[in-house]
Amino acid sequence: MRPFRLHEPTTVQEAASALAGSGGGAALYAGGTELLLAMKSGLLAYDTLINVKSIPGLDAVSADGDSIVIGASATHSAVEHDPLVRERLPLLSEVEHGVANLRVRNVGTLAGNLCFAEPHSDPATLLLVYEAELDVAGPSGSRRIAVGDLQTGSYETSLGPDELLTAVRVPAFPSGMRAAYSKFGYHHRPTLGIAAALAVQDGVVADARLALGCVSPVARRLSRSEDVLRGERIDALTEDSAVLREACRLASEDADAVEDMHGGVDYKEHLVRVFMERTVLRALARNGGGDG
Amino acid sequence: MTTRGFKTVGTAVRRVDADDKLSGRAQFTGDLEVAGMAFCKLVTSPLPHARITRVDASRARALPGVYAVLTAAELVNMETHYGSDKKDRPVIAIDKVRFQGEPVAAVAAVDLAIAEAAVELVDVEYEELPTVTGIDEALDGAGEPVHDSNFCHEYGYEWGDVDAAFRECDRVFEDTFEFPMVYHYAMEPHTCIASYEPDRIRLWTSAQHPFLVQAEIARLFGRQLDQVQVVVPYVGGGYGSKSYTKIEPLVTALSREAGRPVRLALSVDEAMRTVRRHAARGTIRTGVMNDGTIVARECTGYVDTGGYTDNGVRVTERFGDRMPGPYSLANVRVKTYGLFTNSTPAGSYRSIGGPQAIWVCESQIDVIAHALGMDPFEFRVKNLVREGEEVRRGRRPIEGDLEYALRRVADEFGWDSWTPGPTPPGVKRGIGFACGVTNSGASPTSTSLVRFHADGSATVYIGSAEMGQGSRSVMAQIAAEEMRIPYEKVRVVASDTTAVPWDRSTGSSRSTTLMGLAVHDAAVDIRTQVLDLAAEHFEAFPEEIEAEDGRASFKGETVAFAALVRNMFGGSGGELMGRGYVTPKHPSGKLRQDPVFWEVSIGAAEVEVDTATGEVRLLRYYSISDPGKAINPKQVEGQDEGAAMQAIGHTLFEEMLYEDGQLLNPNLVDYRVPVFTDLPHEFETVLIESGNGPGPYGAKGVGEGGIVCVAPATANAVFNATGVRISTLPLTPERVWRALHEAGQA
Amino acid sequence: MAEAQDTLAVAFELNGVPVEASVEPQTPLIDLLRERFGLTGTKRSCDVQVCGACTVLLDGAPVSSCTVPAFEVRGRAVLTVEGFAADESASPLIEAFVNNAAFQCGFCTPGMLLAAKSLLDADPAPSEDVIKDYMRGNVCRCTGYKKIVEAVHEASEAGR
């Protein structure tokens, strides 16, 4: 790996100005699980890495009203095992357990995973249905964006060259919401990820949140499929029901699947239909409420 | 003698390398430090097929800390090409590159960082040539051939009247099956340290065949054998990837340029561009009678040997030898071809040509059984070669009862009583069977030396490389057994060409059988000498003396072997030397015929297929291993299970993907090898000990059989579950789904 | 305000012993362990955090030393296979690996042992499925995994 220098700021402001002053020669470093592999292989090269873990308190996981706030340097393992997350975001804990392998989870961070914007991310897909928000800091202050506004392409985000993600704010699902996540594939990275969260009131789908990831460069919500499910009676949402089939069909249409090592477009679209149905049914089967 | 029971043979002794390997002390080549050592990085071709028009290393040579840069221009006063059968591989690319990743220049520097920086400063210009990708393009012959032509080797044999048999049979089947390029992933990538010195060349290297490396290096650099020392420390997995000579010539030539020892440790990316298994295509025509008797088989096959021959000649032949299968066939015609393409050279990989051949053979056997309405198991049994029959004309007859072995596996698997049981909608279960015999490629040539020390301990000297198979423990067991001393008193020194006597190689499941025989004979030589000394001591005949546990006894009196040796030398020291020579003329008479043994492979698989996604889950897999005599039963199981797990890789996931000559997945993120969660719920080795091998105690080789049958048994099970035949590996979800989809089953 | 550094002093506990070293930011932990401290039991293989041959425990948690930078160990405890094997508490797991033929070439074994230790520390009686799931990030190309699962089971409270 090409030599680089390490900058260890102690405040977010310091990190932001170091980033701003580097003219693109610096990158933020948290877990490094993706970044360092790219640097080892020569795909990326930086003069300086800015270690966000040197900023005190950025690894905290805390509650803020209905939301759980996950600091930028909290690892996947820390999130998975955090008592607050397990209690109030059990599906996030479950999905974090499935990320890569134990060693990656022990080092890699949730925020880093989102910012690296590798297309095959489970959390990036799941957080869409949690309607998570991101705290973004820059030299001129901070702003809050929806998680869905972060990734703009393969390895590309909307963050400015002098901005950093400081926290991921994940609201717990409203009571009565049932949720499930499915991933599929045999490669090291998932071929497909689907998240479904359905609010059920009096036997009717009051709200539906569906997200799809990995089959295309950017994870996305599937609003047309959500619209189809909203207002439907859940006892009518059975395997092969016309409504569910329509939601699955629209999901595959909206997938924008790309052909790659994980499969051809038609296969991926087919998988979207299969797993959309399975995930919705699995979510609905969790009739105890909550997202567990 | 005949009533004596084994003391250590047949038991799962503590491996002699256990303490080294479970403490972190075990040294592999990359763990060694040689004084003054420089570090090497390679400049490799980004193009799969090109003429090299210019190599300019002057900027790299000028970088402080760079000792030398090796290019084709430096290959003077030496032979320039090497190879086990055809010497077509240049030490470093000369004039032309034939695969992406072929080394074009090599840098030796003070440290790896400088070497890496210097690599960027080597300027190479290429004139790109059209790429030959895969078997079809190699056969097509358009564009520039990889070598003089794209044909590497042709092989064939025939007996009976094949054409007449096809005319007279009731039905003829013709099917084609494809096997992918796969990579061994020995976890230790190839590593070599070479020290080119005025009076000798020393190498420490991750090689399976130290003496073949020694001979190749001596030839290339014009040295005598005694001037070339090859030391093989522990090897971190071989499976054939470290057979013959790989990076050693390049590192030696670079050491000569640098004037100091040089180390090259490949990355996985580079190892994937060093050697792989041959992709293959096989077509079989089979003529059968309506009662299920096979009367003729005609096999045509192609193997893709990549940019250079490596072991392509033998693999072409073995693919042909193995394709007709373990059946009694009156009429056979086989023709196989090895082809050059612009891809990583293909060499040995655990049962060369075997998994490819049996994939073709056993997939088609299932096709035929189904078409005839016969149980695929009974169809196999009906046509199986019988004990003592020549399964290949002019070769050693089959030495075991295959039908018994097949029935054992079927019984333990529960073939006859199996039912799919309840499954969720869209999920289907099925079972499949496969069997094969593989002619071991083991050459019956090994030597061994045993020193029996004055304190009753002994050192055994063998050429075998310890790459995980446990050969050092097995040799210690055999030596202890035959010297009548405890296992713990035996130490094994291995694979240093200046210390141990010659051995051909470590591969082809040969070490226990052939090196084992050499060690056996050397230990018997010691025992004979000890008994002579004891006879002198007791004033008795040698045959009257009991020897056990390091002591000789006669009429109630005992004397330690150690005391006998010390007495012989008249003092406190001294030692005996025993030797064992294994040649085709070995006095046992069992090594005259080729092959020295047949390795049996049988597999029974149960799968679950998710027809919606195409995912195949291997629920149960039963394999057989017949080591003749299991000298260490746990290690025999370990060989079989490990081989079967590697096969699960090429059956379900593994494939090197090339596009326009570029390897798309040169890393473990994208090249998926099996992990813990791929372990079937039942993963069993049925161990039978037929006692009919040519090795010590009737032992014969294992370690390759387990890899051969997984793919056909699994695909046959997928067919049983879904009615859909898949003719190309691996059985990835997408491939299976497409096949099901086309058949209207998805 | 901190300046960017091109060398860093690291003080940490290595196999129970306090140590210090100077590292460059790009130095991965494996190079510090192997080259500075001569602890060659830690192996480099895939170099992309898939295989687990380079596994060491950082404050008790398995990490890939091929990728984790050496500076990350500041103020923390690193356990390598050498430190693990030297401790008496390792013996049930080591003996279980011997008894079950849970190693062959030995290249994955240091990482495998440390992953298994970390599992048994967290869950003294794991089920077979838990063993497979926990260990799925450690590749072994020789054994076929079954014998490692059996060894970990034997070394667990459930297997004794």
Side-chain angles (χ1 to χ4, degrees), chain B residues 375-652:
Chain B
D375 178 291
F377 177 80
E378 295 302 335
F379 179 61
R380 287 182 169 87
V381 168
K382 181 180 176 65
N383 287 288
L384 215 52
V385 65
R386 303 297 154 188
E387 185 163 6
E389 189 178 331
E390 285 183 359
V391 66
R392 300 291 173 269
R393 297 294 152 92
R395 306 274 188 95
R396 174 188 297 272
I398 286 289
E399 66 258 16
D401 183 347
L402 274 181
E403 180 176 342
Y404 166 77
L406 252 68
R407 292 204 183 277
R408 271 289 301 279
V409 174
D411 285 349
E412 301 217 8
F413 179 80
W415 181 266
D416 287 335
S417 57
W418 182 83
T419 57
T423 54
V427 174
K428 295 181 175 178
R429 291 207 186 115
I431 56 174
F433 205 88
C435 60
V437 288
T438 51
N439 46 331
S440 169
S443 165
T445 47
S446 289
T447 67
S448 170
L449 187 69
V450 176
R451 290 164 60 200
F452 183 78
H453 307 301
D455 66 349
S457 65
T459 308
V460 177
Y461 293 80
I462 59 169
S464 310
E466 177 56 68
M467 50 193 188
Q469 80 282 40
S471 61
R472 292 187 192 176
S473 304
V474 165
M475 299 310 154
Q477 283 178 279
I478 294 169
E481 194 70 56
E482 292 311 316
M483 285 189 285
R484 311 288 191 249
I485 65 175
Y487 169 74
E488 293 74 22
K489 295 233 173 195
V490 179
R491 189 165 186 83
V492 177
V493 172
S495 55
D496 172 344
T497 59
T498 60
V500 305
W502 184 85
D503 181 29
R504 184 186 177 276
S505 54
T506 309
S508 304
S509 303
R510 70 182 294 282
S511 293
T512 297
T513 309
L514 297 162
M515 181 54 78
L517 209 50
V519 169
H520 174 276
D521 291 359
V524 168
D525 188 359
I526 295 286
R527 188 177 78 221
T528 305
Q529 295 176 51
V530 167
L531 287 174
D532 284 346
L533 292 174
E536 201 177 310
H537 174 83
F538 291 122
E539 296 180 350
F541 291 106
E543 48 273 26
E544 294 177 300
I545 291 160
E546 293 288 318
E548 205 62 75
D549 203 25
R551 305 179 75 81
S553 50
F554 178 66
K555 291 188 175 171
E557 276 185 71
T558 67
V559 60
F561 296 170
L564 293 170
V565 173
R566 290 196 299 269
N567 290 344
M568 170 183 169
F569 287 88
S572 57
E575 68 182 22
L576 303 180
M577 283 184 276
R579 64 171 206 199
Y581 293 157
V582 169
T583 73
K585 293 177 183 168
H586 188 269
S588 69
K590 292 177 177 172
L591 306 180
R592 285 165 207 271
Q593 252 185 311
D594 173 67
V596 291
F597 57 88
W598 290 92
E599 193 166 344
V600 175
S601 176
I602 300 170
E606 178 177 349
V607 303
E608 190 170 86
V609 183
D610 182 341
T611 57
T613 63
E615 185 183 18
V616 175
R617 286 184 288 267
L618 187 54
L619 303 178
R620 300 197 297 142
Y621 189 76
Y622 282 62
S623 177
I624 201 162
S625 188
D626 176 9
K629 166 74 186 168
I631 291 170
N632 185 328
K634 279 268 182 201
Q635 287 184 199
V636 171
E637 285 176 10
Q639 283 297 302
D640 197 57
E641 290 167 14
M645 184 55 78
Q646 283 181 1
I648 288 174
H650 69 229
T651 301
L652 297 180

Side-chain angles (χ1 to χ4, degrees), chain C residues 87-103:
Chain C
D87 194 281
E88 254 175 44
S89 65
S91 127
L93 192 56
I94 288 175
E95 290 310 306
F97 266 61
V98 174
N99 297 338
N100 291 280
F103 69 94

Side-chain angles (χ1 to χ4, degrees), chain B residues 31 184-185 187 637 674, chain C residues 34 43 45 95 141 145 147:
Chain B
D31 301 331
H184 312 67
Y185 186 44
M187 290 189 68
E637 285 176 10
Chain C
R34 288 177 58 92
K43 303 301 184 201
S45 181
E95 290 310 306
R141 196 61 155 164
Y145 299 112
K147 289 181 164 16

